Amino acid sequence: MMLRFCLREVNMSRIIKPISLRTSINVSTAVRGFLRRSSTIANVSNIPSSTSPVCSYNEWDHLEEVIVGRAEGATVPPLTVGIKGSTVEENWNFFSKYGGRNFPLDHVNKARAELDEFCSVLRREGVTVRRPDIVDFSVKYTTPDFTSTGQVAMPRDLLIVIGDEIIESPMGWRSRFFEYRAYRSLLKEYFNGGAKWTAAPKPQMSDELYDEEYMKYSVEERQKLATQGRFVTTEFEPCFDAADFIRAGKDIFVQRSQVTNNMGIEWMRRHLGDKYNIHVLSFDDPHPLHIDSTFNIIGPGIVLLNPIRPCNQINMFKKAGWKIVHPPKPMMPDDHPLWLTSKWLSMNVLMLDPTRVVVDKNEKSTIEMFEKLGIKTIPVSLRFANSLGGGFHCWTCDVRRRGKLESYL
């Protein structure tokens, strides 16, 4: 039985401190115990599903249907100031040399096999799995403002489901301008089935969207610039990647990043209206790109917070009684290629419900952390898919979760 609660009824004097691997606290047991004392207990299994084929309000309700991306056709993005602002300098030569060409075939084939196995595991767990169309992203395209090739079909970055609506984001990299084409068949099917389908305004991505002077600063200087609200993307027009947003019912959290600007955040706020609260978070991170490897909500009032990227608004969650869990150091070897991401994909997990999580089978310390939290781990390897830019959360878009809209803050 899945239980739900509203954090507005939490005793605000009970501020729960961050926990680490050295602290053996069973979060599942603690949450269930709290719920038994709460007057707002609800049996989610008795909540009727939306008539829309698309319905999801948070990151942890019982997962019924998911889109899993594809490695086929994955292409190295050309080196641009946008790519520079979001990646480490040691990888820039790779983008400069191979930009516009497919990633190494052997690597892509291994990533493809991992994703296929991931899909099989999800199906065994009772989840309906959908896949985007196969697209060759190495095809060059030209708009009135720029020329580029594509990148990869990674759904979390492009798509976000809020209630019965699926939203296409106006992404911040030119290499992802036409990524939506891989999902058109699925989106039309969902729309014809009754879902709301919205595409945010498509950005021009002209030179005015990017601060060409930004990369002249050192990493330390860019970190200071981030605290001042300055990033490689300007406020020329709205842009955002969906992966910079993370949902907790009526409260949605977002970071201003190298691909998500304030205009994009404001577009989302106005679009969603008063039904949802948009909270802007910031972290000590010189090149923020997607929130889910920094701040990943895994249950009602439970969040994984990257220990090397502290959140400047963390007191908001402590005052609301949230549990702040610092995941352990990733175990990925230094020689494994990560061209677009960091090792902290170890915390980029996918919750199937509050008691089950898909986690990388190589991350033994992270598995141990979840076991101490009382959450069953479903280990799957995604190492080669990691190299193409994402973890389990990145490679998926949860289309439908069993639950209803609630407040947890």
Side-chain angles (χ1 to χ4, degrees), residues 343-355:
K343 294 182 180 182
W344 286 102
L345 288 176
S346 59
M347 62 176 282
N348 191 277
V349 298
L350 178 68
M351 302 301 297
L352 302 189
D353 59 39
T355 64

Side-chain angles (χ1 to χ4, degrees), residues 102-343:
N102 292 127
F103 279 96
L105 181 60
D106 181 61
H107 206 101
V108 170
N109 286 339
K110 290 177 180 178
R112 177 181 177 180
E114 289 176 334
L115 289 168
D116 288 346
E117 174 60 19
F118 179 31
C119 291
S120 297
V121 169
L122 289 172
R123 293 187 184 104
R124 289 197 294 269
E125 294 294 325
V127 180
T128 298
V129 176
R130 310 300 303 275
R131 308 296 298 275
D133 296 332
I134 295 176
V135 173
D136 182 5
F137 289 104
S138 66
V139 175
K140 183 178 290 188
Y141 49 84
T142 299
T143 79
D145 296 288
F146 66 90
T147 296
S148 184
T149 46
Q151 191 172 324
V152 68
M154 195 170 297
R156 184 75 57 175
D157 301 350
L158 174 69
L159 303 173
I160 185 169
V161 172
I162 299 177
D164 62 354
E165 179 180 19
I166 189 163
I167 300 172
E168 290 181 37
S169 62
M171 303 177 79
W173 286 357
R174 290 170 171 172
S175 57
R176 311 196 77 171
F177 189 82
F178 284 113
E179 189 169 328
Y180 69 88
R181 297 179 66 251
Y183 302 93
R184 270 298 191 256
S185 298
L186 282 173
L187 294 178
K188 287 186 287 187
E189 177 187 327
Y190 290 139
F191 177 75
N192 288 331
K196 295 178 181 178
W197 172 19
T198 300
K202 202 71 175 168
Q204 294 175 229
M205 289 188 177
S206 62
D207 292 345
E208 288 86 349
L209 182 58
Y210 307 97
D211 182 355
E212 293 289 344
E213 300 295 314
Y214 185 82
M215 297 313 302
K216 294 181 179 180
Y217 298 98
S218 67
V219 172
E220 294 75 16
E221 289 171 326
R222 293 201 299 271
Q223 192 155 0
K224 291 180 181 178
L225 289 175
T227 64
Q228 301 167 15
R230 183 178 172 185
F231 300 86
V232 72
T233 46
T234 68
E235 298 297 332
F236 175 69
E237 60 188 342
C239 69
F240 64 84
D241 280 15
D244 270 323
F245 291 81
I246 198 158
R247 304 156 304 153
K250 293 184 177 181
D251 294 285
I252 298 172
F253 305 97
V254 61
Q255 67 172 353
R256 200 322 185 176
S257 76
Q258 304 293 10
V259 292
T260 296
N261 63 13
N262 291 322
M263 287 187 73
I265 295 170
E266 182 60 23
W267 182 92
M268 182 70 88
R269 178 181 284 113
R270 295 185 195 180
H271 176 72
L272 295 178
D274 296 337
K275 190 175 181 179
Y276 296 92
N277 304 309
I278 304 293
H279 305 271
V280 180
L281 305 180
S282 60
F283 306 88
D284 290 345
D285 185 355
H287 38 74
L289 175 71
H290 302 164
I291 199 170
D292 48 4
S293 291
T294 298
F295 185 89
N296 196 359
I297 305 173
I298 61 171
I302 310 168
V303 64
L304 300 182
L305 176 61
N306 192 315
I308 68 168
R309 301 172 190 163
C311 176
N312 296 313
Q313 295 78 26
I314 196 61
N315 284 338
M316 171 173 62
F317 301 96
K318 292 180 179 179
K319 289 178 180 178
W322 283 41
K323 292 186 181 295
I324 316 300
V325 182
H326 294 302
K329 183 179 179 181
M331 300 182 71
M332 185 176 289
D334 292 338
D335 60 353
H336 186 78
L338 285 175
W339 299 297
L340 291 157
T341 57
S342 79
K343 294 182 180 182

